[in-house]
């Protein structure tokens, strides 16, 4: 049985691994069968992670964190956790490949997932003009016309990135002011390739097998119109990924895993949570990393105070 199992390979997971590994707890981190690194694998330059004067590419940052965690002995499992049993002193994780792992403590760092528009055929058109990742798919829209939905930092980042390829980029936002940080708003607004479509929601996706445009509804007048597009990038935020544990640990009304105060302690002893899965507000790589550190320290204290009693037979001989 292991001391610590960490589920999720974003900044919080790797940081929890670095700290627990350096504490001699030999953590095992269940990454993913598809892609390690979480949402930062889909971002470009990260300019606000302290310590990188010139910025760092999201995937490079994740590779560095993984190397740092492995340097101290973290075991990485490239598989998906599909079933968890968190009650009692022994926690069990079953994986997609059919393996079972047990541990005395668990750190949940499963992050968050892209929010969908909730429109008919959204999934069908995914990969056929509809995308959630400009870094992954932007290249396919060279000299094309695309739109980004959303008014936050993600939407500004996606739009600005897409100007490298697309000949025109619309930003469709449901209000007339942006939620994004000033610097990212300005960067997008100063870009001659970007046009803002204010007070508008996407009310339908057009095109049968391939997106050909969207129907827009004016949120003030209710008027509808069509916008011809080759691509639509959805950047309307994320939801915490709690599918695995939502019936076992207490959640907040906003869907995040509930933790006690500033700690990472969930409603189940020995189960800790960190990163975007507990954070509806800050959701930065650096806050996730800090949160992973908190979870590691909490897990460490828990393991000390719940030390496995010595085998009485062995104790009697010594
Ligand atoms: P966000 O800040 O929650 O913004 C989501 C945007 O989508 C909002 O403008 C929201 O509109 C809009 N929206 C939500 N649901 C919608 C719907 N159903 N239809 C149409 N529009 C909808 O999410 P985010 O941009 O992904 O950013 C999340 C966090 O990550 C933030 O803290 C952000 O600062 C951070 N982030 C940082 C960077 C960076 O620093 N490089 C990059 C990306 C993200 P309203 O404004 O009307 O609510």
């Amino acid at each position: 049985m292991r001391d610590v199992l960490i589920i999720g390979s974003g900044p919080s997971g790797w940081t929890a691994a670095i700290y627990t590994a350096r504490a001699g707890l030999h953590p095992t981190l269940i990454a993913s069968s598809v892609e390690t690194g979480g949402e930062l694998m889909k971002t470009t330059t990260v300019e606000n992670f302290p310590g990188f004067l010139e910025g760092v590419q999201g995937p490079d940052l994740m590779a560095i964190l993984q190397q740092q965690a492995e340097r101290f002995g973290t075991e990485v499992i490239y598989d998906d956790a599909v079933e968890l049993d968190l009650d009692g002193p022994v926690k069990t994780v079953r994986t997609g490949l059919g393996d079972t792992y047990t541990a005395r403590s668990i750190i949940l760092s499963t992050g968050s997932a892209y929010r969908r528009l909730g429109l008919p055929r959204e999934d069908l058109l995914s990969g056929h003009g509809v995308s959630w990742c400009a870094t992954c798919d932007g290249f396919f829209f060279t000299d094309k016309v695309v739109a980004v939905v959303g008014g936050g930092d993600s939407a500004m980042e996606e739009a600005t990135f897409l100007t490298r390829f697309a000949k025109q980029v619309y930003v469709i936002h449901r209000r007339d002011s942006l939620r994004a940080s000033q610097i990212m708003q300005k960067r997008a607004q100063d870009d001659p390739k970007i046009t803002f479509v204010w007070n508008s929601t996407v009310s339908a996706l057009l095109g049968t097998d391939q997106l050909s445009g969207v129907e827009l509804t004016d949120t003030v007048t209710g008027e509808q119109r069509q916008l011809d597009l080759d691509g639509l990038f959805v950047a309307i935020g994320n939801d915490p990924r709690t599918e695995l544990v939502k019936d076992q640990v207490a959640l907040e009304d906003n869907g995040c895993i509930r933790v006690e105060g500033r700690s990472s302690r969930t409603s189940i002893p020995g189960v800790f949570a960190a990163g975007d899965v507990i954070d509806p507000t800050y959701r930065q790589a650096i806050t996730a990393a800090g949160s992973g550190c908190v979870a590691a320290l909490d897990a460490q204290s828990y393991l000390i105070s719940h030390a496995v009693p010595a085998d009485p037979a062995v104790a009697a001989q010594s």
Side-chain angles (χ1 to χ4, degrees):
M1 182 165 55
R2 290 157 167 85
D3 281 328
V4 187
L5 263 173
I6 300 166
I7 301 177
S9 55
S12 57
W14 289 127
T15 306
I18 292 165
Y19 271 75
T20 48
R22 289 193 74 254
L25 296 174
H26 310 291
T28 296
L29 185 146
I30 300 186
S32 160
S33 61
V34 184
E35 181 181 69
T36 61
E39 298 288 277
L40 274 182
M41 296 304 283
K42 301 185 175 75
T43 200
T44 50
T45 314
V46 178
E47 290 174 335
N48 50 13
F49 199 93
F52 295 90
L53 197 55
E54 304 297 331
V56 58
Q57 294 294 307
D60 293 344
L61 177 59
M62 299 322 297
I64 293 167
L65 293 181
Q66 175 166 357
Q67 282 163 29
Q68 198 176 350
E70 288 184 316
R71 181 182 154 214
F72 297 111
T74 300
E75 177 191 18
V76 182
I77 308 285
Y78 296 97
D79 198 355
D80 304 305
V82 293
E83 198 186 332
L84 269 57
D85 186 353
L86 300 176
D87 267 341
V90 178
K91 323 293 178 194
T92 306
V93 176
R94 274 175 274 281
T95 69
L97 292 176
D99 294 320
T100 298
Y101 299 89
T102 55
R104 296 168 59 211
S105 70
I106 295 248
I107 296 175
L108 304 168
S109 52
T110 45
S112 58
Y114 293 125
R115 209 170 276 159
R116 295 180 171 250
L117 291 166
L119 293 171
R121 296 181 311 113
E122 191 171 348
D123 286 340
L124 200 77
L125 290 171
S126 170
H128 300 278
V130 178
S131 171
W132 281 261
C133 179
T135 318
C136 318
D137 301 330
F139 180 77
F140 301 122
F141 296 91
T142 303
D143 293 330
K144 307 273 189 199
V145 179
V146 299
V148 176
V149 193
D153 280 335
S154 298
M156 298 310 108
E157 189 173 63
E158 298 276 275
T160 306
F161 179 77
L162 285 165
T163 60
R164 295 187 196 182
F165 310 101
K167 65 178 176 199
Q168 176 152 30
V169 179
Y170 292 99
V171 173
I172 301 167
H173 184 39
R174 62 185 178 183
R175 295 186 293 124
D176 63 359
S177 62
L178 298 168
R179 178 181 294 275
S181 55
Q182 284 302 323
I183 188 166
M184 293 179 85
Q185 284 193 31
K186 187 166 182 335
R187 202 172 285 165
Q189 282 169 334
D190 288 350
D191 196 310
K193 276 191 177 179
I194 298 179
T195 305
F196 284 82
V197 181
W198 301 108
N199 295 322
S200 299
T201 54
V202 175
S203 42
L205 302 171
L206 308 176
T208 314
D209 301 324
Q210 181 71 31
L211 184 88
S212 61
V214 293
E215 176 193 83
L216 296 176
T217 299
D218 190 300
T219 54
V220 180
T221 64
E223 273 171 35
Q224 292 189 325
R225 70 181 176 99
Q226 288 191 5
L227 180 65
D228 292 340
L229 293 173
D230 300 300
L232 182 72
F233 288 80
V234 183
I236 60 172
N238 298 264
D239 290 313
R241 294 180 63 185
T242 57
E243 319 75 79
L244 271 177
V245 295
K246 64 179 166 29
D247 297 328
Q248 299 187 63
V249 297
L251 302 183
E252 298 288 356
D253 290 344
N254 57 26
C256 288
I257 294 176
R258 177 175 300 164
V259 289
E260 242 176 77
R262 296 182 63 209
S263 81
S264 64
R265 291 189 294 274
T266 70
S267 55
I268 302 181
V271 179
F272 306 89
D276 282 8
V277 79
I278 64 165
D279 177 8
T281 312
Y282 301 106
R283 307 186 58 257
Q284 302 296 302
I286 188 65
T287 50
S291 170
C293 161
V294 168
L297 298 178
D298 285 344
Q300 204 178 327
S301 310
Y302 170 85
L303 289 168
I304 291 168
S305 60
H306 292 75
V308 179
D311 183 334
V314 176
Q317 288 166 13
S318 58

